[in-house]
Amino acid sequence: MSSHLSADHPAAQPPGRGSVEALISQARRLRGDVDAVRRDSQDDGTDPRGRWQRALYDLALHQLSDIDEHLAQLRDGPAPVPRPGSLLSRVGSAEWNLLTDEAHWSGELFQILGRDPASAPLSLDELPSVVLAEDRPKLTAMVTDCLVDARPIDGEFRVVRPDDTVRTVHMMGEPVLDADGSTASMWAVLRDVSELRRSERVVSETRDSLRRQPLPADTGQRAAVEPREAVPPPWHGLLRFPHQGRPGLDLAAGYLPSTVHAPGCGAWYDACPLADDETLLSVGDLAGPGADATQGPATLIGALRGLASAGTRPARLQDRLDRLLEATALPPVRSALYCGYRPRTRALVWAATGHPVPVLFREGTGHGLSGQAEAPLAAGDLLLLHTGELAPADVRRLLSLAPRLAGVRSAQDGVRIVTEEYGESPRQADACVLVARVTP
């Protein structure tokens, strides 16, 4: 692969094998030191600060392992398969010749994008076809700046692989200039940073959870933070829920643990950002005792976000999820609600499996949206989604809360009213509620 060439800046020579070996040794020593410190600071997992520190240690160890692997690739040359679970996959490379329209990809890049190595590499004009629609303007701007103004490329965008999975790719590149100083081609290196971003979110979530912890009573201080759920779901911290809301919506969610058995039915709630400010709201639960209370919902939410970001509409989400879950150890979805909300038109499109339906509260009254696949909303409406563990009698109690919910000023107040009402009610399994208040 060519480097950025000019008469005044000759191509840099690669480092010698001995210097790379020295870097590898340093990285491995540092990784061993970090691992030793992590083991010495192990806690019982109940302290919020301890969870945050453990997440940071894990992220640092993953990154050091990947630095080791990247240095080994620099020493040994291309290799076909990355280490499973790597935060940074093997680095792929590409060069696009503007004079001949030829494209050259490394084997790693075909693997990163999930494409058949026997197929032709995509041209620069074709590359946006595998990029999520909302990220295409970003990619186009980076490539244009590189080719027209000779600016280096350094940015991220999301791609949709042929299996409909969505991955985050970091791209770095430069133009290759000819003797006249004109751009002759463009080279780039690309890496899959999806797992790295996920680990960073874990660190961020555990940090946020730590910040939301109430200060000890003897400090004489009050934490200047927003109210939070008294009992977070077991998977809380693995995935970020947008407490700050979404365009056109004020959001909050609540978790109601089982009062009969230990938590673990696999109930979830989520709000996923989509293109054009649309939001996918979902609640549901997995069936049976095989639903891991921590990893099960987190895995399902990740799959759900990927499908929705790739353009799967609410009506088709359950079918696509069923196909994905067949290839996993997770049990099937028992009941779920999937609602797409478009703030520009205030239109709600929804689909359900099982018996839950969205409940709409407006002007002091409430009713279920049974029999409707699409409904117009208005400013001040309160939409409540709940999992199937709330029995029909519980839903009737929900409707009786309409006069109280009519006066709430935030979605968080709505969740507080609902969770207080049902906090002590007997439940065979965990339940979740999600409240969305339509903003002006």
Side-chain angles (χ1 to χ4, degrees):
M1 184 176 68
S2 301
S3 60
H4 189 174
L5 302 177
S6 71
D8 298 326
H9 297 83
Q13 296 300 311
R17 185 180 181 90
S19 59
V20 175
E21 288 284 4
L23 291 173
I24 292 174
S25 297
Q26 292 177 32
R28 290 176 179 175
R29 283 197 299 271
L30 180 57
R31 184 180 61 186
D33 291 344
V34 172
D35 190 34
V37 174
R38 182 187 64 164
R39 289 196 302 269
D40 291 342
S41 62
Q42 287 294 333
D43 64 286
D44 60 5
T46 60
D47 175 50
R49 180 175 293 276
R51 290 195 298 268
W52 170 69
Q53 291 175 338
R54 188 169 61 252
L56 276 175
Y57 280 129
D58 290 343
L59 176 60
L61 286 171
H62 277 303
Q63 290 176 317
L64 287 169
S65 295
D66 282 300
I67 289 174
D68 181 8
E69 187 171 302
H70 286 172
L71 290 172
Q73 184 184 9
L74 183 64
R75 178 194 62 194
D76 302 333
V81 180
R83 171 173 53 83
S86 173
L87 292 184
L88 305 180
S89 66
R90 303 290 300 192
V91 175
S93 61
E95 183 167 0
W96 291 275
N97 190 309
L98 304 182
L99 304 180
T100 63
D101 288 332
E102 292 179 313
H104 298 281
W105 285 13
S106 69
E108 290 85 1
L109 183 54
F110 280 97
Q111 186 179 61
I112 289 170
L113 299 183
R115 300 184 65 84
D116 184 354
S119 64
L122 299 178
S123 67
L124 276 178
D125 290 335
E126 296 170 327
L127 187 60
S129 66
V130 300
V131 177
L132 279 182
E134 56 264 41
D135 289 356
R136 290 173 190 168
K138 182 193 305 182
L139 173 64
T140 300
M142 290 192 299
V143 171
T144 300
D145 289 344
C146 181
L147 299 182
V148 176
D149 300 325
R151 297 180 184 175
I153 288 178
D154 186 356
E156 295 182 6
F157 50 87
R158 292 164 296 171
V159 298
V160 184
R161 293 160 56 113
D163 60 1
D164 286 337
T165 58
V166 177
R167 308 295 292 178
T168 301
V169 174
H170 187 189
M171 181 176 183
M172 299 181 67
E174 292 183 353
V176 179
L177 307 181
D178 60 18
D180 298 328
S182 301
T183 303
S185 62
M186 189 188 89
W187 69 269
V189 292
L190 299 94
R191 57 180 181 171
D192 184 341
V193 295
S194 304
E195 294 305 314
L196 174 62
R197 297 295 171 253
R198 184 197 64 78
S199 290
E200 289 174 342
R201 286 194 296 270
V202 171
V203 172
S204 177
E205 286 288 351
T206 53
R207 180 195 61 212
D208 292 346
S209 177
L210 175 63
R211 289 175 175 173
R212 289 195 293 266
Q213 292 296 316
L215 295 175
D218 59 358
T219 64
Q221 303 179 51
R222 294 181 61 189
V225 295
E226 63 185 21
R228 69 180 183 95
E229 307 147 35
V231 181
W235 47 268
H236 180 75
L238 294 180
L239 294 165
R240 180 180 293 277
F241 179 79
H243 289 285
Q244 73 278 13
R246 287 283 302 147
L249 293 176
D250 172 27
L251 298 173
Y255 168 72
L256 301 168
S258 167
T259 58
V260 178
H261 303 294
C265 85
W268 86 84
Y269 58 78
D270 188 43
C272 172
L274 303 176
D276 298 323
D277 287 336
E278 185 176 357
T279 301
L280 176 73
L281 307 173
S282 65
V283 298
D285 47 32
L286 295 166
D292 183 278
T294 300
Q295 296 296 337
T299 301
L300 186 139
I301 292 172
L304 188 60
R305 290 179 176 180
L307 290 171
S309 297
T312 305
R313 304 305 302 161
R316 297 190 57 201
L317 277 173
Q318 188 57 56
D319 178 62
R320 300 296 298 274
L321 272 177
D322 287 343
R323 295 186 205 173
L324 288 176
L325 293 179
E326 287 176 357
T328 73
L330 291 177
V333 172
R334 171 169 46 193
S335 63
L337 277 171
Y338 311 106
C339 300
Y341 178 71
R342 300 184 180 98
R344 295 180 184 177
T345 58
R346 289 180 176 159
L348 182 77
V349 179
W350 65 277
T353 179
H355 65 264
V357 298
V359 180
L360 177 63
F361 295 92
R362 176 182 293 171
E363 297 179 350
T365 63
H367 67 279
L369 298 181
S370 303
Q372 302 180 45
E374 184 168 352
L377 301 183
D381 283 354
L382 203 69
L383 186 72
L384 189 147
L385 313 183
H386 63 85
T387 56
E389 278 306 311
L390 294 185
D394 294 323
V395 177
R396 289 193 292 271
R397 286 173 61 193
L398 274 178
L399 297 179
S400 71
L401 297 176
R404 295 175 61 193
L405 293 172
V408 300
R409 303 181 62 180
S410 69
Q412 185 66 52
D413 287 343
V415 167
R416 177 181 52 78
I417 291 172
V418 173
T419 54
E420 287 176 354
E421 179 72 19
Y422 293 95
E424 302 302 324
S425 299
R427 280 177 302 281
Q428 296 295 319
D430 303 358
C432 290
V433 294
L434 189 155
V435 171
R437 182 173 177 272
V438 181
T439 57

